[in-house]
Amino acid sequence: MRIILCDSYKEISDRAAELICAQITLKPDCVLGLATGSSPIGMYDRLAEMNLDFSGVTTFNLDEYYPIKRDNDQSYYYFMQKHLYSRVNLRPENIHIPSGECTDVERECREYEEKIQASGGIDLQVLGIGMNGHIGFNEPDDSLNTKTHLTDLTESTITANSRFFDSEDDVPKQAITMGISTILSAKKIILLASGKEKRHAISALLRDEINTEIPATMLKVHPDVVLICDREAYGDK
Ligand code: GLP
């Protein structure tokens, strides 16, 4: 794993946007795996400023709450629309995000995997990390799901994410997420982490053996992961 240690959130955002820019320049019809949460917002702002040509790019988002309506301002679809889709020239037919409105979840998950395969696979996957070490919505558990699936959110994630909702009761209790092997199939992965709240998860990622209680440790088996983090998240190693 390569580590880019940054002095600020802005620097994290700029470095991440540069890697995406390089990917699009090298392969204008690349497939990007995208993330939500506060970590990538600065990166999306920078990408919007760069005036890159996204017309050949295909995107797949990591996850979506379930159930949730697209037009709910807390849906990940709404987030992506606001922070990226509406600001660059991505073609609507090339945008993919699990549907929080579907009725047949199993089918939605199966078809999502098939679409990723059919696209040729993800060239560059962007990840944030939960305070408990989750990636996407792959939560700590005794065993981890490999493919796109419906998952129960842990109490700690519901509490952490309640800051975006009116109340904790409004946070959906489930989500559709890419699985661990979906994520690890990406050719390159960049993981963004900022702030001392992430220090425990980043320390575990850098220190511990692979274990399902810190799902991000699974990234250790991937040959091309770049961790872009600030000193608060990195700690005094
Ligand atoms: C959510 C998302 C994750 C994200 C995590 C961290 O739970 N499902 O993909 O990485 O939150 O979010 P933030 O970047 O806001 O700390």
Side-chain angles (χ1 to χ4, degrees):
M1 183 175 312
R2 285 186 297 138
I3 302 172
I4 301 179
L5 202 50
C6 298
D7 286 320
S8 64
Y9 176 73
K10 178 164 187 340
E11 194 183 347
I12 293 176
S13 307
D14 290 351
R15 293 291 90 77
E18 283 159 16
L19 290 178
I20 293 193
C21 174
Q23 175 67 66
I24 296 175
T25 306
L26 286 170
K27 189 177 177 191
D29 60 347
C30 65
V31 180
L32 299 178
L34 299 177
T36 49
S38 43
S39 305
I41 290 178
M43 177 192 81
Y44 292 134
D45 288 343
R46 184 75 197 102
L47 284 173
E49 284 166 9
M50 285 169 134
N51 280 320
L52 295 169
D53 182 7
F54 278 83
S55 62
V57 175
T58 297
T59 66
F60 285 92
N61 262 76
L62 277 169
D63 48 13
E64 176 61 283
Y65 289 114
Y66 187 82
I68 199 160
K69 295 273 180 214
R70 265 188 171 198
D71 60 5
N72 182 320
D73 62 6
Q74 293 310 324
S75 79
Y76 285 169
Y77 178 84
Y78 192 100
F79 174 102
M80 290 306 299
Q81 187 66 31
K82 175 174 171 192
H83 293 287
L84 187 73
Y85 302 158
S86 64
R87 304 163 90 187
V88 297
N89 64 337
L90 272 165
R91 289 179 205 270
E93 64 271 27
N94 291 345
I95 288 171
H96 304 90
I97 185 162
S99 169
E101 298 183 356
C102 65
T103 45
D104 186 342
V105 183
E106 248 177 58
R107 181 175 169 185
E108 175 69 14
C109 294
R110 192 177 58 247
E111 290 183 354
Y112 203 67
E113 283 289 327
E114 287 166 2
K115 281 182 212 157
I116 295 173
Q117 296 280 329
S119 75
I122 293 170
D123 292 296
L124 175 60
Q125 174 69 55
V126 179
L127 294 178
I129 186 167
M131 282 189 264
N132 62 5
H134 73 236
I135 48 177
F137 267 130
N138 292 276
E139 295 274 40
D141 209 340
D142 295 339
S143 64
L144 298 175
N145 242 289
T146 55
K147 302 288 186 192
T148 300
H149 61 283
L150 181 69
T151 186
D152 295 332
L153 303 186
T154 60
E155 281 305 320
S156 74
T157 296
I158 291 170
T159 304
N161 290 8
S162 66
R163 67 191 193 274
F164 300 115
F165 290 81
D166 290 339
S167 77
E168 200 162 313
D169 285 345
D170 291 334
V171 185
K173 307 292 176 282
Q174 291 186 300
I176 296 174
T177 180
M178 286 186 194
I180 292 293
S181 74
T182 326
I183 293 170
L184 292 177
S185 304
K187 296 177 186 90
K188 183 180 189 78
I189 296 174
I190 59 178
L191 173 63
L192 313 182
S194 133
K196 62 177 183 335
E197 300 76 24
K198 303 296 169 70
R199 189 176 295 181
H200 168 71
I202 295 300
S203 297
L205 166 64
L206 296 176
R207 187 190 58 231
D208 291 352
E209 302 292 310
I210 291 172
N211 74 82
T212 59
E213 286 303 321
I214 310 275
T217 59
M218 298 289 152
L219 297 173
K220 287 172 180 287
V221 301
H222 194 282
D224 192 355
V225 177
V226 183
L227 166 63
I228 311 180
C229 68
D230 59 19
R231 291 174 198 281
E232 285 74 36
Y234 189 73
D236 342 294
K237 294 173 192 62

